[in-house]
Amino acid sequence: MQPSSHPFTRDLVLVGGGHSHALVLRSWGMKPLPGARLTLINPGPTAAYSGMLPGHIAGHYTRDALEIDLVRLARFAGARLILGAAEGIDLSRGEVHVAARPPIAFDLASIDIGITTAMPEIPGFAENAIPAKPLERFAAAWQSFLRTSGPASVAMIGGGVAGAELILAMGHALSQAERPAKLHLIERDTVLTALPDRSAKRLRAALERAGVTLHEGADVRAITPDGVTLDGYEIEADFVCGAAGARPHPWLAETGLAQQHGYLSIDTQLRTSDPRIFAAGDCAHMPFAPRPKAGVYAVRQAPVLAQNLRVALREAGTMKRYQPQKDYLKLVSMGEKTALGDRFGLSFSGPWVWRWKDRIDRKFMSKLKDLPQMALPALPDPRAAGAADLGDKVLCGGCGAKLGQGALMAALCEGPSNLPGDDAALIRIGGAELVFSTDHLREITADPVTMTRIAAQHALGDIWAMGGQPRAVLTSLVLPRMSPRLASRTLDEIMTTARAIMRAAGAEVVGGHTSQGAELTIGFTIAGTCERRAISLAGARPGDALILTKPLGSGVLMAGEMAGLARGEDVAAALQRMVQSQAQASTLLKDAHAMTDVTGFGLLGHLRNICLNSNVGAEITLEAVPLMHGAVELARQGIRSSLYPDNRAPFPDLADSALHDLLIDPQTSGGLLAAVPGDGTEPLAALHGAGYEAARIGIVTEGAGQIRIV
């Protein structure tokens, strides 16, 4: 996110990454409203486009083709993205509640969370079946089932258009996999009643050709590990899915907002009964023009929603009215690359209809994938010599924004040895051995809670690397320019999170300092004790095994995210690794001869520090080094962190390849690198048991400062 040139004064929170909100994000990125801080809350980094789901299930589209990358959209819109499921709204306090984090305050909010087809009232559904919505979970479960082998039996509960589309898609996928299949479509009443008779007959014929057995007028009594229990008989099924009984998410009923059967009632301006809260998509009910649930309405609501949110934030202007069309073009996939079309009483089908549907779907997705490149401000002219040489690449956040090791050594090392110091300062006071360290990070994610978690674990890493125990913490915060009210909200999120993390680590936040500046920066100064011997950079011995507790790649992934090139799922996974504590890993590596944490100087830079201080060399097995998903692909595209040139300088002979580049990639809140006695089998097994993605990446050798990569 680029620093805002205007102080934030109002908080707009989008709850859910549905189709309406995705289009609002795109619109906002092209024309942001100065002074408004935009936040998106969604359970995951992507949202599936419902129109292409049957095609994906049938095997016509990859998973990427139907996924809306909310990480990229949020970056484009300048929005902070909070990955978590909303579970409540407190109207009196103006807060959205998300599990495991402080509440998110809002001045204005919009809800677009879709619906669910979960059927908790059916015994055994939660344990033995999968709802078709949310789409992401269903798509993942189906792909997992499709990868199994042998004959298959699939049961779809719900004989509406969605159920028919999906069972046909499943049948096609299984036939392509050459797996004999029994297909069942179960409906309490009559199947396909939402379609006109002519179209319903066409779709029934397609079901018959696909060998789908219809169970009409059938009540589901239970779902067991073996299949579905109906009135008086059972259906054997390996995969059971629910596409019936679409219903709102249960927490909406507790909001206090006006509802219709659990759906949020909205007016023609898309506002709920609380004028601060808007709603769109399937979670909303339009009393002024009731319509069935369909994605076409969410898409058409988006420009009206975007305009009205701007008007409400400005407290000036005229809101638009939304009037849904009376009928819309229904395009229904039929398993193979053929489709059924229905509108204005006309019914038509064939491969040409599928091609038409495919063009419409791809055009919609291209709006959200092929985001326009917004021009950067031109450099002033005239300007000082050398200004253009710095380039227009945005400075990385996290450890990628650090100064290079050469500049730091020149400024800080006064002794004749000129050796890099340990991760934390070791001081003896009154017979006690204390460790001190300080670290701060420029923001790499606009979510202050996630940023606090990363900065805290990053700072704690220096203490863990010394084998210490943190005791007292000082905070140092720079908040972006914003109104006192928003600053108070942000500070509360940060400090609530910081206190929880530090207490879990055994320390207390005892004070600190705040200021306002261009962007969010979070730092911690930590004092700790060493109950056992402190583990320093010196002490590694030839023959020691080198163990790394986290995979590499956070620098290039976050640089890729800033450039809009990294996959949202890869970025989310990287953030999860950055917030992982190294406390238990430090304990499991207590017998290490030398240890450090891998941060800004990259794996080779920090390993070089061990080698120089211990007067040893090292051998790294390139294929053994664990890497974050997506990092190699980005490195091959030439994506580099800002610190990359400085990190490469000490290794002029390093091979020019993506894998070698990642060895010098600056890591934010990286793993511990330990030289342990023996072959490292025992501590490595213990680390794996504790949930660390640790690996034995090489050995310590003779030859001071010499690092060999094999």
Side-chain angles (χ1 to χ4, degrees), residues 475-479 487 490-492 494-495 511-517 521:
T475 62
S476 178
L477 305 177
V478 179
L479 300 182
T490 306
L491 186 60
D492 182 63
I494 291 172
M495 293 310 301
H513 179 76
T514 63
S515 64
Q516 286 194 319
T521 302

Side-chain angles (χ1 to χ4, degrees), residues 277 361 439:
I277 301 178
D361 289 337
D439 218 324

Side-chain angles (χ1 to χ4, degrees), residues 464-465 467 532-533 535 547-549 582-596 671-677 680 682-684 686-687 694:
W464 302 132
R532 303 175 77 252
R533 69 170 183 88
I535 306 174
I547 290 179
L548 179 65
T549 64
Q582 296 297 288
Q584 193 173 359
S586 175
T587 301
L588 295 173
L589 294 168
K590 64 183 182 299
D591 295 324
H593 289 153
M595 189 155 65
T596 185
L672 297 177
L673 174 64
V676 301
E682 187 175 335
L684 190 59
L687 288 165

